[in-house]
Amino acid sequence: MTERSASPSAPSGPPARYDDLRALFVNCTLKRSPEVSNTQGVVDISRLIMRKHGVTVDEFRAVDHDIATGVWPDMTGHGWETDAWPELYERVMAADILVLAGPIWLGDNSSVTKRVIERLYACSGELNASGQYAYYGRVGGCLITGNEDGIKHCAANVLYSLQHLGYTVPPQADAGWIGEAGPGPSYLDEGSGGPQNEFTNRNTTFMTWNLLHLARLLKDAGGIPAYGNQRKAWDAGARFDFENPEYR
């Protein structure tokens, strides 16, 4: 006889406070403000939940800013006359939670999403006060929208990139909405069914709370323990129990 788990009791409320956390949503739509962004419609679900619990929420559309192309922290030293990224990076580093949100084009993340990830990568070699890579102790997630299949493909690329750069990714840290494949209504269009979609609403809510819970745990713990992951210590000769198999 298969044992069934007990039905969960009705939740009495969040297990912690979150009003000392900061979150940043980067909307990687191709549309400049004030043009309507369907991606923003999904972002708003998560943003409003966070704000209900006192989280300080920052957000910007990357396309509204003159972000140079390249993989250096400041591209003005590499042939570009202007680069908005250094100022935007300060907003990234002020956040405990980073959510990259964007549309699907040709089955992949938007060019704007790719540029933001490249610029995050440009700064990933910087170190924090514990000698770890800069994004350690921060939490990342993503939201995807569009009229093409590919939410999981796009999310996999974003979440892999974030964790590789040093972000911690909680369970089910992605959500999204896609309409019927091919030309058709977008998320915020009348009659699209997007804002009423149970799957999107549930997954976006779960993503939001998993980001909050993990950010809370990391903040209370002082981040990821600084042992075995310090670049300068490795360069200075520390090996953290690594043994070269060639010498066994």
Side-chain angles (χ1 to χ4, degrees):
M1 183 176 179
T2 303
E3 182 179 349
R4 295 184 179 180
S5 60
S7 297
S9 58
S12 58
R17 293 180 58 179
Y18 307 92
D19 53 4
D20 61 335
L21 297 178
R22 299 180 64 92
L24 172 64
F25 290 85
V26 181
N27 185 344
C28 298
T29 177
L30 303 186
K31 301 173 182 176
R32 288 190 168 185
S33 301
E35 194 173 352
V36 173
S37 163
N38 292 285
T39 299
Q40 186 64 44
V42 183
V43 166
D44 287 345
I45 299 172
S46 181
R47 177 179 61 86
L48 291 173
I49 292 172
M50 291 188 183
R51 283 189 169 166
K52 282 182 181 179
H53 295 275
V55 177
T56 300
V57 178
D58 185 15
E59 57 183 309
F60 64 82
R61 291 191 194 187
V63 75
D64 287 342
H65 301 272
D66 184 22
I67 301 174
T69 300
V71 289
W72 294 94
D74 186 347
M75 292 303 300
T76 59
H78 299 271
W80 290 76
E81 291 186 8
T82 61
D83 186 6
W85 182 252
E87 288 186 14
L88 296 175
Y89 177 66
E90 293 181 8
R91 294 164 71 174
V92 170
M93 295 307 290
D96 303 292
I97 299 168
L98 174 66
V99 180
L100 299 185
I104 301 171
W105 290 108
L106 295 174
D108 208 343
N109 287 301
S110 76
S111 58
V112 178
T113 302
K114 294 288 191 179
R115 181 173 297 195
V116 169
I117 290 174
E118 287 171 348
R119 299 311 302 278
L120 288 168
Y121 174 65
C123 300
S124 64
E126 297 184 9
L127 304 180
N128 64 19
S130 298
Q132 303 163 308
Y133 289 117
Y135 303 126
Y136 270 53
R138 292 172 169 80
V139 175
C142 70
L143 294 167
I144 307 295
T145 60
N147 289 75
E148 306 173 30
D149 191 15
I151 287 178
K152 291 181 174 61
H153 166 76
C154 291
N157 178 268
V158 173
L159 296 181
Y160 167 78
S161 299
L162 290 177
Q163 67 79 31
H164 183 77
L165 299 181
Y167 279 90
T168 304
V169 176
Q172 299 175 332
D174 65 294
W177 182 87
I178 51 172
E180 183 177 349
S186 296
Y187 181 79
L188 292 177
D189 289 346
E190 185 176 354
S192 72
Q196 296 79 38
N197 187 276
E198 179 73 10
F199 186 81
T200 296
N201 292 337
R202 183 196 69 194
N203 285 5
T204 305
T205 299
F206 283 14
M207 178 209 74
T208 303
W209 278 107
N210 288 340
L211 291 170
L212 289 172
H213 294 322
L214 188 54
R216 173 79 280 148
L217 291 170
L218 285 174
K219 198 173 190 75
D220 290 347
I224 301 291
Y227 180 84
N229 53 37
Q230 296 165 301
R231 175 62 186 269
K232 286 186 177 180
W234 178 274
D235 292 344
R239 286 298 175 262
F240 306 111
D241 301 319
F242 164 79
E243 294 182 15
N244 191 330
E246 294 181 5
Y247 296 99
R248 289 180 182 174

